[in-house]
Each structure stands twice: as structure tokens, then as C-alpha cells.
Amino acid sequence: MNRLKIAIQKSGRLSDDCQELLKACGIKFHYNKDRLIVYAKNQPIELLRVRDDDIPALVFDGVADLGFVGENVLGECQLDRQNKGETASFNKLKVFEFGECRLSLAVPKDFDYQSLASLKNARIATSYPNLLKKYMDDNTVPFKNCLLTGSVEVAPSAGIAHAICDLVSSGATLEANGLKEVEVIYRSKACLIVKSEPLSAEKQALVDKLLTRMTGVEQAKE
Ligand code: ATP
Ligand code: ZN
């Protein structure tokens, strides 16, 4: 059979948890840090090791069968496609307990923040322009977008933006940059998605087996 193609983050906050989960499901890989594609030794599975931002599109377009990705990145990519009038079809198979974070608005500590309206016409730095715009539009607060793919948290002190919209887990990064979290706009965990186009019977059987094993791994941890 054709190998089941699974997209995972090559290196970053989700990689270790995803690799450990697959290992706990009994799938053996020889990882080589430079390899884009890694074949499983004991199952017809291959991993596509890519940047997390590329994972939703690989699954939407059916290039990968499955993808492990943060719901934040998934939501952002889905809105991006929709806003361009393109389709973003997939099914969410599972939400995990790892990769937990929140996308929040934060402002400098001395910013007199009363409510979201305090950010009216503010320039907000973010790597999540679509999720931010949806939230602000839903709350009818106009703002100016400042797209940054990194170093978002230094934008206010650098005088580039009045506020930021960024991922937070402990809050230590915000603290270190003199910022305070004022609104949570999106809560996220890692999830597993599958392409919407039906899989072959063999691939579907393998996915079913994987899901059963994942549930078993989770129950064993309880
Ligand atoms: P890549 O090189 O793959 O693009 P990245 O720098 O965009 O990596 P990471 O920082 O590794 O991504 O984060 C990957 C995902 O981990 C995030 O999109 C999010 O779903 C999750 N995550 C959990 N906690 C945090 C956190 N504190 N900060 C950032 N991401 C977090
Ligand atoms: Zn990324």
C-alpha cells in the first residue's frame, strides 16, 4: 500500500510530544535531524517533517494524510484560506493534552487598559493576523494590524506597536518584556487532523488502529 503520510513539526514545541506519542503507539522511526522524510520501520507510514505553519495547508491540499498541529496555527490557516475565498477542508480527529497555550492581547504595564475598547485604533503586532482580525471584528473594535513573524513581544518597547497579540503559556515572556495580558482571544492545544478526501481502505484501517492506540496511551497516563 501507499504509505500513510503524517506531517509533524520538524523541531519545536510540538515535535517531542508528537514523536513520543507515535513511539508509544508502537511505531518505530530512525530520526535524522536533517531529513525531511522519515520512514517508519514497522508500519507503512512516513513522516513529513516541516514547519508547523505549513502543516494545515499540506492536509487541506491532501499532500499529507494526517497532520499534528496546534489549533492556533490550524485556526489561523483556515481563516487565511477562507478570507482568500479558498477552501480549507479537513476533519479534526483528536485534541491532545499537550501543546496547550493561549493567544492573548497584551499591553505595556503602564497602559491604562479598561476594556477592549481601550485598543480602539491601536496598532497591534501579531503573527496571527486572521485570528486577531476576527476577534476585533466580532467585538467591533477597529485597530491597525502590524504583522511580525517573530519578536512580537518586543514591538511595544521598540515603538513599533501599542499592543501585541501573541501566544502565552506561563506569562514569563510577557513579564520579561514589561507587558500585561489583558484578553485571551483563543485557547489552543495540539490536535490531529486528517484530509477530507476519503482515505483508501488500508490507510483508513491504519488510522483507526493509530487512534485506538492513542486512546490507549492516554488512558494509561490517567
Ligand atoms: P516552526 O519552526 O515549526 O515554525 P514555531 O517557532 O512557529 O516553529 P513553536 O514555538 O515550536 O513554533 O510552537 C509550536 C506550537 O506549540 C505553537 O503553535 C503552539 O500551538 C504550541 N505552544 C505551546 N505553548 C507555547 C508557547 N508558550 N509559545 C508558543 N507556542 C506554544
Ligand atoms: Zn511556526
PDB file of all heavy atoms in Angstrom, residues 9 11-14 50-53 70-73 99-101 128 167-169 188, ligand 1:
ATOM      1  N   GLN A   9       5.709  18.688  13.115  1.00  0.00           N
ATOM      2  CA  GLN A   9       6.662  19.795  13.223  1.00  0.00           C
ATOM      3  C   GLN A   9       8.078  19.219  13.299  1.00  0.00           C
ATOM      4  O   GLN A   9       8.349  18.327  14.100  1.00  0.00           O
ATOM      5  CB  GLN A   9       6.361  20.624  14.470  1.00  0.00           C
ATOM      6  CG  GLN A   9       7.165  21.925  14.498  1.00  0.00           C
ATOM      7  CD  GLN A   9       7.022  22.689  15.797  1.00  0.00           C
ATOM      8  OE1 GLN A   9       6.669  22.134  16.830  1.00  0.00           O
ATOM      9  NE2 GLN A   9       7.323  23.972  15.751  1.00  0.00           N
ATOM     10  N   SER A  11      11.060  20.665  14.223  1.00  0.00           N
ATOM     11  CA  SER A  11      11.636  20.875  15.551  1.00  0.00           C
ATOM     12  C   SER A  11      10.950  22.071  16.176  1.00  0.00           C
ATOM     13  O   SER A  11      10.687  23.062  15.506  1.00  0.00           O
ATOM     14  CB  SER A  11      13.141  21.081  15.471  1.00  0.00           C
ATOM     15  OG  SER A  11      13.424  22.327  14.914  1.00  0.00           O
ATOM     16  N   GLY A  12      10.629  21.932  17.435  1.00  0.00           N
ATOM     17  CA  GLY A  12       9.899  22.991  18.115  1.00  0.00           C
ATOM     18  C   GLY A  12       9.105  22.414  19.266  1.00  0.00           C
ATOM     19  O   GLY A  12       9.337  21.278  19.661  1.00  0.00           O
ATOM     20  N   ARG A  13       8.174  23.189  19.741  1.00  0.00           N
ATOM     21  CA  ARG A  13       7.456  22.813  20.958  1.00  0.00           C
ATOM     22  C   ARG A  13       6.574  21.576  20.823  1.00  0.00           C
ATOM     23  O   ARG A  13       6.214  20.972  21.827  1.00  0.00           O
ATOM     24  CB  ARG A  13       6.576  23.978  21.411  1.00  0.00           C
ATOM     25  CG  ARG A  13       7.358  25.113  21.986  1.00  0.00           C
ATOM     26  CD  ARG A  13       6.392  26.145  22.544  1.00  0.00           C
ATOM     27  NE  ARG A  13       7.037  26.968  23.536  1.00  0.00           N
ATOM     28  CZ  ARG A  13       7.585  28.140  23.259  1.00  0.00           C
ATOM     29  NH1 ARG A  13       7.572  28.601  22.033  1.00  0.00           N
ATOM     30  NH2 ARG A  13       8.141  28.843  24.217  1.00  0.00           N
ATOM     31  N   LEU A  14       6.161  21.245  19.602  1.00  0.00           N
ATOM     32  CA  LEU A  14       5.276  20.083  19.456  1.00  0.00           C
ATOM     33  C   LEU A  14       6.010  18.806  19.063  1.00  0.00           C
ATOM     34  O   LEU A  14       5.465  17.714  19.199  1.00  0.00           O
ATOM     35  CB  LEU A  14       4.189  20.377  18.399  1.00  0.00           C
ATOM     36  CG  LEU A  14       3.271  21.557  18.688  1.00  0.00           C
ATOM     37  CD1 LEU A  14       2.263  21.744  17.561  1.00  0.00           C
ATOM     38  CD2 LEU A  14       2.536  21.375  20.022  1.00  0.00           C
ATOM     39  N   VAL A  50       8.169  19.206   8.812  1.00  0.00           N
ATOM     40  CA  VAL A  50       8.101  20.558   8.241  1.00  0.00           C
ATOM     41  C   VAL A  50       7.875  21.600   9.341  1.00  0.00           C
ATOM     42  O   VAL A  50       7.706  21.247  10.510  1.00  0.00           O
ATOM     43  CB  VAL A  50       6.936  20.647   7.219  1.00  0.00           C
ATOM     44  CG1 VAL A  50       7.203  19.777   6.009  1.00  0.00           C
ATOM     45  CG2 VAL A  50       5.607  20.256   7.868  1.00  0.00           C
ATOM     46  N   ARG A  51       7.828  22.865   8.957  1.00  0.00           N
ATOM     47  CA  ARG A  51       7.478  23.922   9.918  1.00  0.00           C
ATOM     48  C   ARG A  51       5.998  23.793  10.249  1.00  0.00           C
ATOM     49  O   ARG A  51       5.186  23.462   9.380  1.00  0.00           O
ATOM     50  CB  ARG A  51       7.759  25.302   9.306  1.00  0.00           C
ATOM     51  CG  ARG A  51       9.231  25.585   9.198  1.00  0.00           C
ATOM     52  CD  ARG A  51       9.468  27.071   9.050  1.00  0.00           C
ATOM     53  NE  ARG A  51       8.962  27.794  10.205  1.00  0.00           N
ATOM     54  CZ  ARG A  51       9.020  29.116  10.338  1.00  0.00           C
ATOM     55  NH1 ARG A  51       9.514  29.861   9.392  1.00  0.00           N
ATOM     56  NH2 ARG A  51       8.544  29.693  11.425  1.00  0.00           N
ATOM     57  N   ASP A  52       5.650  24.084  11.486  1.00  0.00           N
ATOM     58  CA  ASP A  52       4.248  23.897  11.893  1.00  0.00           C
ATOM     59  C   ASP A  52       3.277  24.713  11.031  1.00  0.00           C
ATOM     60  O   ASP A  52       2.181  24.254  10.719  1.00  0.00           O
ATOM     61  CB  ASP A  52       4.055  24.185  13.391  1.00  0.00           C
ATOM     62  CG  ASP A  52       4.276  25.629  13.771  1.00  0.00           C
ATOM     63  OD1 ASP A  52       4.866  26.393  12.983  1.00  0.00           O
ATOM     64  OD2 ASP A  52       3.844  26.010  14.883  1.00  0.00           O
ATOM     65  N   ASP A  53       3.728  25.889  10.585  1.00  0.00           N
ATOM     66  CA  ASP A  53       2.866  26.771   9.787  1.00  0.00           C
ATOM     67  C   ASP A  53       2.448  26.135   8.451  1.00  0.00           C
ATOM     68  O   ASP A  53       1.458  26.529   7.846  1.00  0.00           O
ATOM     69  CB  ASP A  53       3.597  28.084   9.490  1.00  0.00           C
ATOM     70  CG  ASP A  53       4.291  28.621  10.722  1.00  0.00           C
ATOM     71  OD1 ASP A  53       5.330  28.047  11.113  1.00  0.00           O
ATOM     72  OD2 ASP A  53       3.771  29.567  11.314  1.00  0.00           O
ATOM     73  N   GLY A  70      -0.906  22.692  16.180  1.00  0.00           N
ATOM     74  CA  GLY A  70      -1.610  23.449  17.211  1.00  0.00           C
ATOM     75  C   GLY A  70      -2.915  24.004  16.636  1.00  0.00           C
ATOM     76  O   GLY A  70      -2.953  24.423  15.475  1.00  0.00           O
ATOM     77  N   GLU A  71      -3.957  24.026  17.465  1.00  0.00           N
ATOM     78  CA  GLU A  71      -5.244  24.560  16.987  1.00  0.00           C
ATOM     79  C   GLU A  71      -5.117  26.034  16.593  1.00  0.00           C
ATOM     80  O   GLU A  71      -5.854  26.509  15.732  1.00  0.00           O
ATOM     81  CB  GLU A  71      -6.310  24.408  18.068  1.00  0.00           C
ATOM     82  CG  GLU A  71      -6.678  22.964  18.345  1.00  0.00           C
ATOM     83  CD  GLU A  71      -7.647  22.833  19.503  1.00  0.00           C
ATOM     84  OE1 GLU A  71      -7.345  23.361  20.592  1.00  0.00           O
ATOM     85  OE2 GLU A  71      -8.695  22.212  19.338  1.00  0.00           O
ATOM     86  N   ASN A  72      -4.181  26.730  17.214  1.00  0.00           N
ATOM     87  CA  ASN A  72      -3.938  28.140  16.875  1.00  0.00           C
ATOM     88  C   ASN A  72      -3.489  28.288  15.422  1.00  0.00           C
ATOM     89  O   ASN A  72      -4.028  29.099  14.665  1.00  0.00           O
ATOM     90  CB  ASN A  72      -2.890  28.744  17.839  1.00  0.00           C
ATOM     91  CG  ASN A  72      -1.610  27.922  17.926  1.00  0.00           C
ATOM     92  OD1 ASN A  72      -1.633  26.701  17.922  1.00  0.00           O
ATOM     93  ND2 ASN A  72      -0.480  28.590  17.994  1.00  0.00           N
ATOM     94  N   VAL A  73      -2.512  27.466  15.037  1.00  0.00           N
ATOM     95  CA  VAL A  73      -1.988  27.529  13.666  1.00  0.00           C
ATOM     96  C   VAL A  73      -3.062  27.049  12.674  1.00  0.00           C
ATOM     97  O   VAL A  73      -3.260  27.642  11.615  1.00  0.00           O
ATOM     98  CB  VAL A  73      -0.696  26.687  13.541  1.00  0.00           C
ATOM     99  CG1 VAL A  73      -0.261  26.559  12.094  1.00  0.00           C
ATOM    100  CG2 VAL A  73       0.420  27.333  14.369  1.00  0.00           C
ATOM    101  N   GLY A  99       0.832  20.803  24.154  1.00  0.00           N
ATOM    102  CA  GLY A  99       0.827  21.985  23.279  1.00  0.00           C
ATOM    103  C   GLY A  99      -0.164  23.035  23.728  1.00  0.00           C
ATOM    104  O   GLY A  99      -0.622  23.850  22.943  1.00  0.00           O
ATOM    105  N   GLU A 100      -0.488  23.005  25.015  1.00  0.00           N
ATOM    106  CA  GLU A 100      -1.506  23.941  25.498  1.00  0.00           C
ATOM    107  C   GLU A 100      -0.957  25.365  25.578  1.00  0.00           C
ATOM    108  O   GLU A 100       0.132  25.592  26.111  1.00  0.00           O
ATOM    109  CB  GLU A 100      -1.985  23.488  26.881  1.00  0.00           C
ATOM    110  CG  GLU A 100      -3.252  24.175  27.283  1.00  0.00           C
ATOM    111  CD  GLU A 100      -3.913  23.529  28.490  1.00  0.00           C
ATOM    112  OE1 GLU A 100      -3.404  22.504  29.013  1.00  0.00           O
ATOM    113  OE2 GLU A 100      -4.942  24.081  28.913  1.00  0.00           O
ATOM    114  N   CYS A 101      -1.682  26.297  25.034  1.00  0.00           N
ATOM    115  CA  CYS A 101      -1.297  27.707  25.114  1.00  0.00           C
ATOM    116  C   CYS A 101      -2.521  28.559  24.816  1.00  0.00           C
ATOM    117  O   CYS A 101      -3.586  28.031  24.479  1.00  0.00           O
ATOM    118  CB  CYS A 101      -0.178  28.024  24.124  1.00  0.00           C
ATOM    119  SG  CYS A 101      -0.598  27.677  22.413  1.00  0.00           S
ATOM    120  N   TYR A 128      -0.552  36.343  14.101  1.00  0.00           N
ATOM    121  CA  TYR A 128      -1.857  35.713  13.878  1.00  0.00           C
ATOM    122  C   TYR A 128      -2.869  36.747  13.403  1.00  0.00           C
ATOM    123  O   TYR A 128      -3.863  37.018  14.085  1.00  0.00           O
ATOM    124  CB  TYR A 128      -2.330  35.032  15.173  1.00  0.00           C
ATOM    125  CG  TYR A 128      -1.443  33.869  15.542  1.00  0.00           C
ATOM    126  CD1 TYR A 128      -0.290  34.070  16.301  1.00  0.00           C
ATOM    127  CD2 TYR A 128      -1.719  32.588  15.083  1.00  0.00           C
ATOM    128  CE1 TYR A 128       0.564  33.012  16.595  1.00  0.00           C
ATOM    129  CE2 TYR A 128      -0.875  31.535  15.368  1.00  0.00           C
ATOM    130  CZ  TYR A 128       0.262  31.756  16.123  1.00  0.00           C
ATOM    131  OH  TYR A 128       1.091  30.700  16.396  1.00  0.00           O
ATOM    132  N   LEU A 167       1.161  34.258  21.545  1.00  0.00           N
ATOM    133  CA  LEU A 167       0.934  33.046  22.330  1.00  0.00           C
ATOM    134  C   LEU A 167       1.530  33.205  23.715  1.00  0.00           C
ATOM    135  O   LEU A 167       2.617  33.759  23.881  1.00  0.00           O
ATOM    136  CB  LEU A 167       1.581  31.838  21.662  1.00  0.00           C
ATOM    137  CG  LEU A 167       0.985  31.413  20.339  1.00  0.00           C
ATOM    138  CD1 LEU A 167       1.762  30.232  19.787  1.00  0.00           C
ATOM    139  CD2 LEU A 167      -0.491  31.069  20.485  1.00  0.00           C
ATOM    140  N   VAL A 168       0.799  32.703  24.687  1.00  0.00           N
ATOM    141  CA  VAL A 168       1.235  32.779  26.074  1.00  0.00           C
ATOM    142  C   VAL A 168       1.063  31.391  26.675  1.00  0.00           C
ATOM    143  O   VAL A 168       0.073  30.717  26.408  1.00  0.00           O
ATOM    144  CB  VAL A 168       0.333  33.762  26.871  1.00  0.00           C
ATOM    145  CG1 VAL A 168       0.783  33.841  28.326  1.00  0.00           C
ATOM    146  CG2 VAL A 168       0.329  35.142  26.246  1.00  0.00           C
ATOM    147  N   SER A 169       2.042  30.937  27.447  1.00  0.00           N
ATOM    148  CA  SER A 169       1.742  29.752  28.259  1.00  0.00           C
ATOM    149  C   SER A 169       1.954  30.106  29.716  1.00  0.00           C
ATOM    150  O   SER A 169       0.985  30.193  30.480  1.00  0.00           O
ATOM    151  CB  SER A 169       2.496  28.504  27.801  1.00  0.00           C
ATOM    152  OG  SER A 169       3.853  28.741  27.650  1.00  0.00           O
ATOM    153  N   SER A 188      -5.799  27.067  22.899  1.00  0.00           N
ATOM    154  CA  SER A 188      -5.345  26.063  21.940  1.00  0.00           C
ATOM    155  C   SER A 188      -4.628  24.879  22.583  1.00  0.00           C
ATOM    156  O   SER A 188      -3.978  25.018  23.618  1.00  0.00           O
ATOM    157  CB  SER A 188      -4.379  26.766  20.977  1.00  0.00           C
ATOM    158  OG  SER A 188      -3.788  25.851  20.096  1.00  0.00           O
TER     159      SER A 188
HETATM  160  P1  ATP B   1       8.347  26.386  13.363  1.00  0.00           P
HETATM  161  O1  ATP B   1       9.808  26.488  13.146  1.00  0.00           O
HETATM  162  O2  ATP B   1       7.843  24.971  13.202  1.00  0.00           O
HETATM  163  O3  ATP B   1       7.543  27.382  12.568  1.00  0.00           O
HETATM  164  P2  ATP B   1       7.467  27.907  15.691  1.00  0.00           P
HETATM  165  O4  ATP B   1       8.554  28.718  16.279  1.00  0.00           O
HETATM  166  O5  ATP B   1       6.410  28.565  14.871  1.00  0.00           O
HETATM  167  O6  ATP B   1       8.133  26.690  14.912  1.00  0.00           O
HETATM  168  P3  ATP B   1       6.959  26.712  18.308  1.00  0.00           P
HETATM  169  O7  ATP B   1       7.391  27.841  19.158  1.00  0.00           O
HETATM  170  O8  ATP B   1       7.770  25.467  18.298  1.00  0.00           O
HETATM  171  O9  ATP B   1       6.648  27.154  16.808  1.00  0.00           O
HETATM  172  O10 ATP B   1       5.461  26.362  18.753  1.00  0.00           O
HETATM  173  C1  ATP B   1       4.712  25.396  18.084  1.00  0.00           C
HETATM  174  C2  ATP B   1       3.329  25.342  18.690  1.00  0.00           C
HETATM  175  O11 ATP B   1       3.415  24.949  20.060  1.00  0.00           O
HETATM  176  C3  ATP B   1       2.550  26.652  18.748  1.00  0.00           C
HETATM  177  O12 ATP B   1       1.953  27.000  17.527  1.00  0.00           O
HETATM  178  C4  ATP B   1       1.513  26.319  19.801  1.00  0.00           C
HETATM  179  O13 ATP B   1       0.470  25.541  19.246  1.00  0.00           O
HETATM  180  C5  ATP B   1       2.289  25.447  20.772  1.00  0.00           C
HETATM  181  N1  ATP B   1       2.726  26.184  22.008  1.00  0.00           N
HETATM  182  C6  ATP B   1       2.527  25.763  23.254  1.00  0.00           C
HETATM  183  N2  ATP B   1       3.000  26.625  24.170  1.00  0.00           N
HETATM  184  C7  ATP B   1       3.513  27.629  23.526  1.00  0.00           C
HETATM  185  C8  ATP B   1       4.147  28.834  23.946  1.00  0.00           C
HETATM  186  N3  ATP B   1       4.329  29.157  25.202  1.00  0.00           N
HETATM  187  N4  ATP B   1       4.599  29.652  22.995  1.00  0.00           N
HETATM  188  C9  ATP B   1       4.456  29.316  21.713  1.00  0.00           C
HETATM  189  N5  ATP B   1       3.835  28.188  21.269  1.00  0.00           N
HETATM  190  C10 ATP B   1       3.356  27.348  22.151  1.00  0.00           C
END
